[in-house]
Amino acid sequence: MAMLRHLLLIAALLVTGGCGKAVELVSQTRTVAAPREAVFAKMFGDDGAFAGLPLVTNGGSTRLYELVVEKGEPGFERIAPKQRPDAYKVKIAVAMEIPREAHMIYSVDDGALATGLKFTFEELAPDRTRVAFTVDELSGHDTEGLAVNSAKLRSVAHDALRKLDDFDEVDEQA
């Protein structure tokens, strides 16, 4: 159990980081020649961007993965925002509506501060899928002056999008 907790903490540290610039809305879109299900499986399969987070609920095509780290647990200070020294809980949740979207949410103190990363998969044709991602704006109570690591969110997004290199890219104008 301690080993699993340690591995989950490492996954959390990879997903989030310390402080950086305030999160701003960032987006990128790629269109590839592949069915939506194949694209989703490539990006979020067993070795995908969110591998290692524990499955908490599974209702058919909807899945929710989450990791909660509370104050006093090893590594908490590395994932909690430094501007919020009274924080008591950080949650990293990944909600997936397979194969249509995946949304990672970084939340402090039960949503008092939140940001996230959302992927959407739009089927343009049976063999053509548009993948888009956005980084959510920082929101919640007392967010003025508070920063989270947007560079790490972009890094997770780019790592997932790099898995699309196995597919041929398509010009949407065609």
Side-chain angles (χ1 to χ4, degrees):
M1 183 63 176
M3 182 65 146
L4 177 62
R5 182 63 123 171
H6 181 69
L7 290 173
L8 293 174
L9 185 56
I10 290 171
L13 292 172
L14 292 175
V15 173
T16 63
C19 298
K21 293 183 177 181
V23 174
E24 55 200 43
L25 190 62
V26 177
S27 65
Q28 181 175 337
T29 303
R30 285 185 64 186
T31 303
V32 295
R36 180 171 56 191
E37 289 80 4
V39 172
F40 187 94
K42 184 71 174 174
M43 292 176 71
F44 301 108
D46 292 337
D47 63 344
F50 304 129
L53 291 179
L55 178 64
V56 220
T57 62
N58 184 357
S61 65
T62 301
R63 294 183 183 172
L64 174 65
Y65 301 81
E66 68 178 18
L67 171 68
V68 177
V69 183
E70 296 188 17
K71 192 170 196 163
E73 292 182 2
F76 177 80
E77 61 282 345
R78 294 181 65 192
I79 64 170
K82 290 183 171 94
Q83 299 96 325
R84 192 165 275 185
D86 296 333
Y88 60 89
K89 185 188 304 185
V90 173
K91 179 172 24 175
I92 299 162
V94 181
M96 293 186 178
E97 181 63 38
I98 299 170
R100 291 174 182 83
E101 72 178 39
H103 195 182
M104 179 186 74
I105 301 163
Y106 169 83
S107 173
V108 178
D109 294 341
D110 297 325
L113 167 71
T115 187
L117 175 65
K118 185 174 185 178
F119 289 88
T120 57
F121 300 85
E122 182 181 357
E123 187 174 57
L124 303 175
D127 63 344
R128 185 173 296 180
T129 303
R130 178 188 299 133
V131 179
F133 82 85
T134 58
V135 176
D136 301 334
E137 291 185 57
L138 184 63
S139 64
H141 173 69
D142 194 24
T143 61
E144 189 171 334
L146 192 61
V148 295
N149 193 343
S150 63
K152 194 59 191 175
L153 289 177
R154 283 192 211 107
S155 173
V156 169
H158 290 296
D159 287 348
L161 289 171
R162 252 184 251 131
K163 293 181 178 283
L164 297 179
D165 291 343
D166 291 348
F167 301 112
D168 291 331
E169 193 146 357
V170 175
D171 181 10
E172 286 192 54
Q173 309 300 332

